[in-house]
Amino acid sequence: MMTPQTDCIEAKLPSKLHLNMSSGKATDTDALVEQMKATKAQWDAEASDETDALLSQAISMAIDQGKGWAPGEREKYLETLLDDDFIPPLFASSKEELEKSGLAEAFQTLHNEGETPGKNMLEFRKKGNDSIALGRKNVAKNMSYYRDAVNHYYEAYHWANRIVPKDEDFVPTPEELLAAEDEPYFTQKELDELRSIICANCAMAHMCLKNWGHVRDESKKAVGFNPNNIKAWYRLAKAHQMLQNWEEAGNAIDSGLACARLVFIDNRERGRAERTNRIKEVWRYSKEEKIALGRLPLVATVKDDEEEGDGDAIEHRWHHHYPHTGQLPRKRSDDGVWAWPVLFVYPSHRQSDFIEQFGEDELIAIRMAQMFPEDESYCGNGETDIAWDFNNEFRCSNLAVYFEVHCMDDDGDDSQKQVIHPDSVERLADLGSAMRFYESSRALKGDEGPEMANVARCMERKHLYQQRKAWIKKHGSLWAKPNPCPVVQIHPGATLAQVLRHKYLVVPNFLLTFIVFPMSHPAHEEFLKEHKCIGIVEPAKQSLNSATV
């Protein structure tokens, strides 16, 4: 519908010019522009009212901005307006319609300008998780927490869809690393995993609300982004069960079980690879530093019906190394110093202390002072705070520290295998034997499941049988036991590194063990009568000065 002013302008247009602008077929663009200029000059000369001036300005703008229709352009534009597949970007109501306009990327950039979709996604995901946690803690079982969680997860998913993923080989610049907290970046794989988690969590919130249709839909989206999401498969199966879609529920269960097997195998192989690398690192370091490693038997019998005795007898048989702790020495990340698991055993009181990481650069005296301070720490009353120290004897200056000597007749040469008693410490000859021993110890503790425990038990029984057979062949009977192993005393001013590198030390089960006695205790005297002391680990001069200070 035209306004009166528009009608007036239309009336002023020459019929020929109007025809040319409407049809676009009477002349080409240049001729049309020249005709417009001539018409404008004529109207400027004959201008008599405000309408003529406005029309002259409109023609000037059309000429300056190239608004003249080229041949066929006007019809083509009208056809696009009438085409159902074309929708102007401002009127698009879906992602598909926006893509048809050809300006999806530009509008996406404009929409996200000044916003950080990655940060918003993570924040709303956390809000959803917090709402779920609050809903579980709520005694009154208020469902509003789960409704809030659903809304937060929807918002998180909304922002996740606005993230532009990086390439897999993307290397961030220093500026991008600094801005990562406010503008996190994700690869396509990372983004899909996050979307799967968000949808699976949203399905869980709907489960709490018993919205089984939404549980089904969100779970489907979750497994679509990550087919290995076991929780999503479970929730999908549960939704189909509640909707009485029995076949779909069974399919979801089958898919979830297959996924669980793959994840379990993958995690187990990854864990085994990590342990292998750690044992290789420990073995390489021990070889370089001439630290001897050994092992003890992991089983006490070679057949099921063999008399094992009670637990105390087995523990006494294996001494203080039973059971295996499973800890490995490791290099500290902060200073690069190696730290070892260390067991302090107190036979006089049948007690012990375990230190998970004892640094090689630490003095024995410092650790002893921390565990057993002097009298001044107890307000001068001479009493310790150790419950089992009835006579208040465990003070660092009143204690003697030893380690047992194993494999004295074995010089470490692999050319001839030494025959040892089955209950004694055996030197680990190579990396393969170290790895097999460690994996068997884990399996026997149940870390790999009952089947692997049975396999490890069979292997250890075979090893024990071979040791018994060799010992009987050499000595005639298992009753021909070796003499009690000698010991070496440790000066408190020595460091752990000095102890580890002593020529008589073999570390059984990756666990360094110190035997501690009060000086004047009767058990100390009995111990030295049975175990000959053949030396002392003297501290280096620098270590001794440090201990004195």
Side-chain angles (χ1 to χ4, degrees), residues 153-446:
Y153 288 133
Y154 281 157
E155 191 72 18
Y157 182 77
H158 163 77
W159 285 109
N161 289 336
R162 297 190 176 188
I163 297 174
V164 179
K166 302 291 185 182
D167 296 333
E168 292 296 333
D169 57 350
F170 168 73
V171 178
T173 64
E175 293 78 11
E176 288 173 325
L177 285 174
L178 292 174
E181 184 175 350
D182 293 327
E183 297 182 13
Y185 50 84
F186 308 92
T187 63
Q188 186 64 55
K189 181 179 179 181
E190 293 171 339
L191 186 58
D192 286 343
E193 289 180 354
L194 283 170
R195 285 171 173 166
S196 179
I197 292 172
I198 291 170
C199 293
N201 289 353
C202 187
M204 179 178 62
H206 278 302
M207 281 182 68
C208 298
L209 297 170
K210 302 187 185 306
N211 297 332
W212 300 112
H214 289 294
V215 176
R216 175 198 57 204
D217 297 341
E218 294 300 323
S219 299
K220 283 184 178 179
K221 288 162 61 178
V223 297
F225 287 119
N226 180 14
N228 293 328
N229 193 329
I230 300 175
K231 294 181 179 179
W233 282 116
Y234 163 75
R235 289 161 192 163
L236 180 59
K238 183 67 176 178
H240 281 306
Q241 177 193 6
M242 299 306 295
L243 294 171
Q244 298 185 6
N245 300 327
W246 309 118
E247 183 177 356
E248 290 83 352
N251 294 337
I253 291 173
D254 292 339
S255 299
L257 290 175
C259 172
R261 283 192 292 269
L262 291 175
V263 171
F264 172 75
I265 293 173
D266 184 57
N267 291 340
R268 186 172 65 181
E269 292 301 323
R270 187 185 299 113
R272 182 176 289 117
E274 291 175 355
R275 293 193 302 273
T276 299
N277 289 334
R278 286 187 58 194
I279 294 174
K280 284 183 178 179
E281 187 180 15
V282 172
W283 182 262
R284 190 181 306 113
Y285 174 74
S286 300
K287 279 295 183 182
E288 291 173 355
E289 297 297 325
K290 294 181 170 53
I291 300 173
L293 302 176
R295 58 158 292 173
L296 280 168
L298 295 174
V299 294
T301 65
V302 295
K303 53 185 178 180
D304 291 335
D305 58 351
E306 185 176 347
E307 183 66 31
E308 292 190 18
D310 58 12
D312 292 337
I314 298 175
E315 184 170 354
H316 177 72
R317 195 179 196 183
W318 287 350
H319 203 38
H320 40 260
H321 302 284
Y322 175 81
H324 176 52
T325 64
Q327 298 293 330
L328 288 174
R330 64 183 63 195
K331 184 188 292 186
R332 292 193 302 226
S333 58
D334 53 349
D335 55 9
V337 175
W338 277 81
W340 291 71
V342 177
L343 183 67
F344 285 85
V345 179
Y346 319 118
S348 59
H349 290 68
R350 298 178 180 269
Q351 301 291 334
S352 64
D353 284 315
F354 176 69
I355 298 175
E356 185 173 350
Q357 294 189 26
F358 195 134
E360 288 190 9
D361 58 345
E362 296 183 55
L363 295 176
I364 306 298
I366 299 298
R367 283 285 185 174
M368 298 294 291
Q370 292 173 350
M371 294 189 294
F372 310 112
E374 291 296 321
D375 294 348
E376 291 79 4
S377 301
Y378 305 106
C379 304
N381 58 11
E383 296 182 2
T384 67
D385 61 352
I386 303 172
W388 44 264
D389 184 17
F390 304 112
N391 297 322
N392 300 306
E393 297 172 295
F394 277 78
R395 304 183 306 275
C396 59
S397 62
N398 187 45
L399 299 175
V401 186
Y402 303 91
F403 70 79
E404 291 181 324
V405 178
H406 307 288
C407 311
M408 277 198 67
D409 298 332
D410 180 10
D411 59 2
D413 187 6
D414 296 336
S415 59
Q416 184 176 2
K417 188 173 181 180
Q418 183 192 24
V419 177
I420 65 169
H421 191 273
D423 291 344
S424 302
V425 173
E426 177 187 1
R427 187 189 294 267
L428 289 171
D430 51 38
L431 174 60
S433 59
M435 293 176 62
R436 286 191 296 271
F437 165 72
Y438 187 76
E439 288 299 319
S440 294
S441 68
R442 294 186 68 260
L444 285 172
K445 290 192 298 181

